[in-house]
Amino acid sequence: MNENQNVQNVNGAQQPNNAQPVQGAPQQNPNPNMYQGYQNVNPNQNPNPNPNPNPNPNMYQGYPQQNPNPNMYYQAPKKPGIDFGKELGETFTDTIEVFKAPATNAPKVVAKQSLVASLTLTIIYAVLRIIFGMINVAIVHSNSSSGFYSYYTTAEKAIHFLMRFFVELLIAAATVAIIAALVMACASLLSKTKVSFVKSLSIASLFLMPVIPMTVLDFLFGLASTDFGNLFMLIGNILGYFLVAYGLKAELKDDNKLPYAITAIFFCVSLAQWLLYLINGLVY
């Protein structure tokens, strides 16, 4: 009887409550509370249908995510713009301060390496020379209506004005360019120091600080006496070379070599100005 019941149980008959499962037979749900707490869950399926290996979307919160924008972490550095109004104001302020204490403030001006200040002083110097030169040509032509220039035609007079314009422009530009080039050469040859072009222009602009006001005085007093007017230009040049010496002193390691540098600058600038004046005299 018991053996037949066991056979029926194996074949799928209803199993009594006190019957023991057949060893090795497949079991259907031995624990009815296994899926308790799940709703509408098929016990033969995976209780976690989410294929995402990360069930918690906030698990990696706080970690850096991949940047969709490749330029987010690398941006080209922005160059600060040039405030021309501020630069111009500081140019005139620095000029006054240099006159007050040349030995102290001249190196400070050079340290700024302001290209705007150097170009501003150069342009002012060139414009003044051109204006005063053209006025002098006009005065000469007006006072010699019966002399040599009375034979000049209108075209020849125009050429005379044009030549004077370019000569004065070249004198102003050549003065600054020669000083800047010699500053770099002297620093390199005498002290093995490399001076940038902008810094050399800053040193050259020191020469123009006393020369510009003396150019005005030269023109005003030169209307009465040419020799008296030239005296102001001589004073302006001497003061300008002193300021260049103060600016160049910081670049030369040996102060004993400074006189040689200033002498070379003075000679070359004077020679260039003399040659340009000679060309002007041949046309004039």
Side-chain angles (χ1 to χ4, degrees), residues 148-259:
F148 175 77
Y149 291 102
S150 61
Y151 298 99
Y152 273 33
T153 62
T154 304
E156 291 174 336
K157 291 180 179 179
I159 294 175
H160 190 188
F161 276 99
L162 187 62
M163 287 297 298
R164 187 60 181 267
F165 172 86
F166 283 109
V167 166
E168 297 295 343
L169 179 62
L170 286 175
I171 289 176
T175 300
V176 177
I178 291 174
I179 294 177
L182 290 176
V183 164
M184 290 189 294
C186 291
S188 178
L189 296 175
L190 298 179
S191 299
K192 306 299 181 182
T193 303
K194 186 177 180 180
V195 180
S196 65
F197 179 70
V198 176
K199 197 170 189 178
S200 65
L201 283 179
S202 298
I203 296 176
S205 65
L206 294 174
F207 178 81
L208 300 180
M209 290 182 177
V211 169
I212 289 176
M214 290 301 173
T215 301
V216 178
L217 295 178
D218 174 35
F219 171 75
L220 296 177
F221 286 93
L223 295 176
S225 174
T226 304
D227 295 333
F228 191 58
N230 291 335
L231 176 62
F232 288 98
M233 282 304 301
L234 177 62
I235 296 174
N237 287 334
I238 294 174
L239 295 176
Y241 289 120
F242 271 106
L243 293 181
V244 171
Y246 286 127
L248 186 58
K249 183 179 180 180
E251 306 302 325
L252 298 179
K253 299 178 182 179
D254 189 359
D255 293 344
N256 295 327
K257 298 178 180 179
L258 185 61

Side-chain angles (χ1 to χ4, degrees), residues 5-239:
Q5 289 179 352
N6 292 336
V7 173
Q8 291 178 0
N9 292 337
V10 172
N11 293 330
Q14 186 177 1
Q15 185 177 0
N17 293 333
N18 58 355
Q20 298 294 327
V22 178
Q23 185 176 3
Q27 300 182 12
Q28 292 183 356
N29 186 11
N31 186 4
N33 297 325
M34 178 177 178
Y35 298 102
Q36 187 176 2
Y38 290 90
Q39 295 179 358
N40 300 326
V41 176
N42 187 354
N44 295 324
Q45 294 181 354
N46 186 5
N48 185 14
N50 186 11
N52 186 5
N54 182 16
N56 185 4
N58 298 324
M59 179 176 179
Y60 297 102
Q61 187 175 5
Y63 289 87
Q65 303 294 325
Q66 184 177 2
N67 181 21
N69 184 7
N71 296 325
M72 179 176 180
Y73 294 109
Y74 178 78
Q75 294 181 356
K78 295 182 179 180
K79 296 182 179 180
I82 300 177
D83 190 348
F84 287 97
K86 181 180 179 180
E87 292 280 352
L88 291 176
E90 290 182 353
T91 299
F92 296 105
T93 303
D94 291 339
T95 302
I96 297 175
E97 295 299 324
V98 167
F99 286 147
K100 291 180 179 179
T104 303
N105 295 325
K108 294 180 180 179
V109 173
V110 175
K112 288 184 177 181
Q113 300 187 43
S114 175
L115 183 61
V116 174
S118 301
L119 294 179
T120 299
L121 293 173
T122 304
I123 292 173
I124 292 175
Y125 181 53
V127 169
L128 290 177
R129 290 197 65 95
I130 291 172
I131 292 175
F132 297 152
M134 304 291 276
I135 293 175
N136 286 331
V137 172
I139 292 174
V140 169
H141 283 291
S142 62
N143 293 336
S144 58
S145 57
S146 59
F148 175 77
Y149 291 102
S150 61
Y151 298 99
Y152 273 33
T153 62
T154 304
E156 291 174 336
K157 291 180 179 179
I159 294 175
H160 190 188
F161 276 99
L162 187 62
M163 287 297 298
R164 187 60 181 267
F165 172 86
F166 283 109
V167 166
E168 297 295 343
L169 179 62
L170 286 175
I171 289 176
T175 300
V176 177
I178 291 174
I179 294 177
L182 290 176
V183 164
M184 290 189 294
C186 291
S188 178
L189 296 175
L190 298 179
S191 299
K192 306 299 181 182
T193 303
K194 186 177 180 180
V195 180
S196 65
F197 179 70
V198 176
K199 197 170 189 178
S200 65
L201 283 179
S202 298
I203 296 176
S205 65
L206 294 174
F207 178 81
L208 300 180
M209 290 182 177
V211 169
I212 289 176
M214 290 301 173
T215 301
V216 178
L217 295 178
D218 174 35
F219 171 75
L220 296 177
F221 286 93
L223 295 176
S225 174
T226 304
D227 295 333
F228 191 58
N230 291 335
L231 176 62
F232 288 98
M233 282 304 301
L234 177 62
I235 296 174
N237 287 334
I238 294 174
L239 295 176

